[in-house]
């Protein structure tokens, strides 16, 4: 027999986790819909090329984090590590490029072969959005604003910081790369081994290094903003103006670079100090070159993805919607069980949550009813069956009354209307 543990880095989502995930997803999709974004789902398995071409072979994801497999037919497949490349692939393969803009939101599991730790899993979940076809700062600002609204809906906006930076356009980055490489070459031997390799393959990524020695060297490195051409400067200034207009607080972090090749201009992250070293909860940016590297036309794009597990870890119990309190059905004898189930069915049809107590001992059943936080117990015994009535006991006040069976739906609709909705708050 194989181990009873899930595979390393993979987690079960128990009902308590699900409640948080569902809350985050519901809020995010609701707000995305308010901005005119429509939900899209792409497969969890894609051809490796979809990611290899676009994320860049030197990115952490491609170089070490992908779950790869071959199909029986010999195709190279991967479990998706992120959503953007798959959504862009879907835009191209479904021929959606004719009507811009396209506004998509999505949620689902992502897979990365990383060292598992708190807030870092091998299967985790993203909530994300992508806006295609808007090349102005308006798109960037709207997308960040959407993220901010989601964080506000989760009551997290006070506990996160929005950090932004610009990677400029291609011309600015090429200029900067030369400056940075020249500077880092002077400190080559003191750089971490990882960064030494990156220096030839992808020097910009060194800016993102977590190595303390690298960080010290980077303190005096030339900054990307000194290499920006006017167009890139203007674009970044507009983004800032937009954020200020919407009163979204932000901080410019000149060392912020995103780990993937397809980004240009805006890069941003919402970070927190509440989660230890896994401090980024939501991150994104502009990726105007993405569809072209896939072999499609050039379509500007901007978007983000939030880590649902990290967001869930930040949620406070009191901010979660309280589940609707159920009604508990108690059949005093086994022969009344189906009578009880019939009653439950009537009330479920009316939209109430009804739990059976499954036993025939009043004391035990009342205890169970309290344990599931039921508001009422509906008791069906000999007397009730004979008189076609039900004893309805309010478990908070202890008050009880006999309600005719045929009026039971109406009775609860009148006395407990909030029990019919999905959630109370
Ligand atoms: P990190 O720097 O933490 O590795 P990243 O830059 O790789 O993050 P993105 O690819 O931008 O992350 O994904 C967006 C969000 O998804 C992150 O901000 C984070 O909240 C979440 N995320 C990324 N990787 C993981 C993981 N292995 N486990 C849990 N959440 C993750
Ligand atoms: Mg990562």
């Amino acid at each position: 027999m194989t181990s009873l543990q899930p595979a390393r880095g993979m987690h079960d989502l128990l009902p308590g986790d699900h409640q948080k995930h569902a809350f985050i997803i519901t809020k995010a999709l609701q707000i995305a819909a308010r901005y005119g974004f429509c939900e899209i789902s792409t497969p969890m398995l894609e051809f490796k090329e979809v990611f290899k071409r676009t994320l860049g072979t030197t990115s952490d994801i491609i170089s070490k984090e992908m779950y790869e497999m071959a199909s029986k037919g010999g195709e190279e497949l991967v479990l998706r590590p992120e959503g953007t490349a798959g959504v862009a692939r879907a835009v191209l393969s479904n021929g959606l490029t004719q009507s811009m803009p396209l506004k998509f939101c999505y949620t689902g599991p992502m897979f990365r072969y990383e060292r598992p730790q708190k807030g870092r899993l091998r299967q985790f979940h993203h909530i994300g959005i992508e806006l295609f076809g808007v090349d102005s700062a308006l798109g960037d600002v709207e997308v960040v604003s959407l993220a901010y609204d989601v964080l506000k809906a989760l009551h997290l906006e006070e506990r996160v910081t929005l950090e932004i930076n610009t990677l400029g356009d291609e011309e600015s980055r090429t200029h900067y790369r030369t400056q940075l490489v020249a500077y880092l070459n002077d400190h080559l031997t003191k750089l971490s081994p990882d960064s030494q390799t990156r220096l030839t393959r992808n020097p910009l990524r060194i800016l993102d290094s977590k190595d303390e020695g690298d960080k010290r060297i980077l303190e005096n490195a030339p900054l990307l903003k000194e290499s920006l051409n006017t167009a890139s400067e203007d674009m970044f200034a507009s983004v800032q103006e937009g954020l200020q207009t919407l009163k979204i607080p932000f901080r410019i972090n000149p060392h912020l670079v995103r780990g993937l090749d397809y980004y240009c201009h805006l890069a941003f992250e919402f970070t927190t100090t509440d989660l230890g070293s896994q401090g980024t909860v939501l991150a994104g940016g502009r990726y105007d070159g993405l569809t072209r590297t896939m072999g499609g036309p050039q379509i500007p794009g901007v978007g983000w993805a939030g880590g649902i597990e990290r967001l869930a870890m930040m949620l406070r119990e009191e901010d979660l919607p309280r589940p609707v309190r159920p009604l508990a059905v108690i059949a005093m004898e086994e022969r009344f069980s189906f009578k009880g189930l019939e009653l439950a069915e009537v009330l479920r049809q009316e939209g109430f949550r009804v739990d059976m107590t499954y036993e025939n001992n009043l004391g035990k059943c009342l205890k169970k009813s309290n344990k599931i936080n039921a508001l009422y117990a509906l008791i069906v015994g000999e007397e009730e069956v004979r008189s076609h009535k039900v004893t309805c006991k309010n478990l908070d006040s202890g008050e009880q009354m006999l309600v005719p069976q045929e009026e039971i739906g109406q009775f609860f609709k009148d006395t407990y209307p909030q029990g019919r909705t999905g959630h109370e708050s």
Side-chain angles (χ1 to χ4, degrees):
M1 197 176 82
T2 49
S3 160
L4 287 175
Q5 298 299 317
R8 198 162 127 77
M10 310 276 169
H11 283 231
D12 300 309
L13 285 181
L14 300 179
D17 307 313
H18 252 295
Q19 196 203 351
K20 291 183 180 170
H21 279 228
F23 177 57
I24 293 166
I25 292 166
T26 308
K27 288 287 180 198
L29 295 181
Q30 247 171 23
I31 290 163
R34 236 181 253 169
Y35 279 73
F37 284 68
C38 302
E39 208 173 343
I40 188 171
S41 290
T42 61
M44 275 177 244
L45 273 180
E46 293 270 3
F47 288 124
K48 186 178 174 183
E49 278 304 298
V50 171
F51 301 100
K52 201 170 114 187
R53 272 210 221 169
T54 52
L55 274 54
T57 44
T58 60
S59 65
D60 283 351
I61 292 187
I62 299 297
S63 60
K64 50 190 181 201
E65 295 176 0
M66 280 228 284
Y67 277 91
E68 304 183 21
M69 67 200 77
S71 73
K72 284 187 179 152
E75 299 154 321
E76 283 191 292
L77 299 174
V78 295
L79 282 172
R80 64 179 180 196
E82 57 105 53
T84 307
V87 174
R89 194 271 308 136
V91 167
L92 299 178
S93 30
N94 291 287
L96 307 179
T97 53
Q98 295 310 309
S99 65
M100 290 292 155
L102 294 168
K103 302 157 87 170
F104 295 123
C105 53
Y106 61 86
T107 181
M110 305 294 159
F111 304 84
R112 296 185 193 176
Y113 193 76
E114 307 198 63
R115 194 168 70 78
Q117 40 193 305
K118 187 179 164 215
R120 192 174 293 286
L121 313 167
R122 288 182 173 176
Q123 178 180 330
F124 61 99
H125 297 78
H126 266 167
I127 176 87
I129 68 147
E130 316 292 350
L131 167 62
F132 293 95
V134 179
D135 60 9
S136 71
L138 178 60
D140 305 50
V141 174
E142 199 179 24
V143 154
V144 174
S145 167
L146 202 171
Y148 191 62
D149 281 357
V150 171
L151 293 164
K152 273 202 284 201
L154 302 176
H155 306 283
L156 296 178
E157 82 277 18
E158 307 266 307
R159 293 158 65 203
V160 293
T161 306
L162 168 59
E163 298 184 19
I164 65 170
N165 191 22
T166 181
L167 306 175
D169 59 10
E170 190 107 38
E171 184 187 78
S172 309
R173 275 199 310 282
T174 309
H175 182 263
Y176 179 61
R177 203 171 289 127
T178 322
Q179 309 280 313
L180 182 68
V181 170
Y183 170 82
L184 291 175
N185 260 323
D186 290 342
H187 300 80
L188 186 61
T189 50
K190 291 199 212 100
L191 283 175
S192 68
D194 261 0
S195 291
Q196 290 188 12
T197 325
R198 289 189 188 122
L199 191 57
T200 42
R201 299 182 68 191
N202 197 333
L204 258 59
R205 201 155 284 135
I206 298 176
L207 299 178
D208 211 12
S209 173
K210 306 273 186 288
D211 181 273
E212 290 304 322
D214 289 352
K215 280 189 191 166
R216 269 195 300 280
I217 296 170
L218 287 168
E219 274 167 22
N220 299 315
L223 291 174
L224 207 153
K225 71 172 186 209
E226 291 149 9
S227 292
L228 292 180
N229 57 22
T230 316
S232 300
E233 266 176 354
D234 290 350
M235 178 79 171
F236 195 42
S238 292
V239 172
Q240 293 174 55
E241 189 191 332
L243 294 175
Q244 278 152 0
T245 308
L246 296 184
K247 301 194 171 47
I248 300 173
F250 64 88
R251 188 172 83 78
I252 296 175
N253 174 358
H255 291 295
L256 176 66
V257 288
R258 306 278 308 125
L260 307 177
D261 271 5
Y262 54 57
Y263 284 107
C264 61
H265 293 293
L266 180 69
F268 69 94
E269 293 189 347
F270 282 92
T271 59
T272 176
T273 51
D274 292 4
L275 298 179
S277 52
Q278 267 51 260
T280 308
V281 290
L282 186 152
R286 179 165 278 282
Y287 47 81
D288 295 346
L290 176 60
T291 48
R292 208 186 42 213
T293 52
M294 275 185 170
Q298 155 95 23
I299 304 169
V302 55
W304 52 257
I308 297 181
E309 281 78 2
R310 291 189 197 172
L311 291 165
M313 277 159 70
M314 289 188 77
L315 290 181
R316 281 175 300 220
E317 215 53 49
E318 64 263 31
D319 292 331
L320 287 170
R322 271 179 299 138
V324 164
R325 295 177 68 181
L327 309 173
V329 171
I330 302 173
M332 298 285 283
E333 292 174 47
E334 203 180 336
R335 61 194 169 116
F336 304 136
S337 295
F338 287 142
K339 193 86 207 154
L341 192 56
E342 209 183 351
L343 205 60
E345 179 55 22
V346 170
L347 290 164
R348 286 169 180 160
Q349 288 297 330
E350 295 291 355
F352 292 97
R353 175 185 152 187
V354 189
D355 280 53
M356 301 301 291
T357 45
Y358 304 116
E359 285 191 71
N360 310 116
N361 173 310
L362 185 61
K364 273 193 190 169
C365 288
L366 285 173
K367 221 182 226 173
K368 276 194 175 181
S369 308
N370 281 318
K371 201 168 162 201
I372 58 170
N373 197 27
L375 183 56
Y376 284 90
L378 281 67
I379 304 163
V380 188
E382 187 154 11
E383 191 46 47
E384 284 85 356
V385 172
R386 190 175 322 119
S387 59
H388 301 284
K389 292 193 171 146
V390 187
T391 298
C392 299
K393 182 181 170 78
N394 182 312
L395 296 170
D396 286 352
S397 65
E399 228 175 291
Q400 65 180 55
M401 61 189 295
L402 273 170
V403 179
Q405 260 175 38
E406 67 279 8
E407 289 170 23
I408 198 76
Q410 196 56 49
F411 172 77
F412 281 109
K413 281 201 276 186
D414 293 341
T415 51
Y416 184 36
Q418 58 290 28
R420 302 180 77 198
T421 56
H423 282 98
E424 257 172 310
S425 75

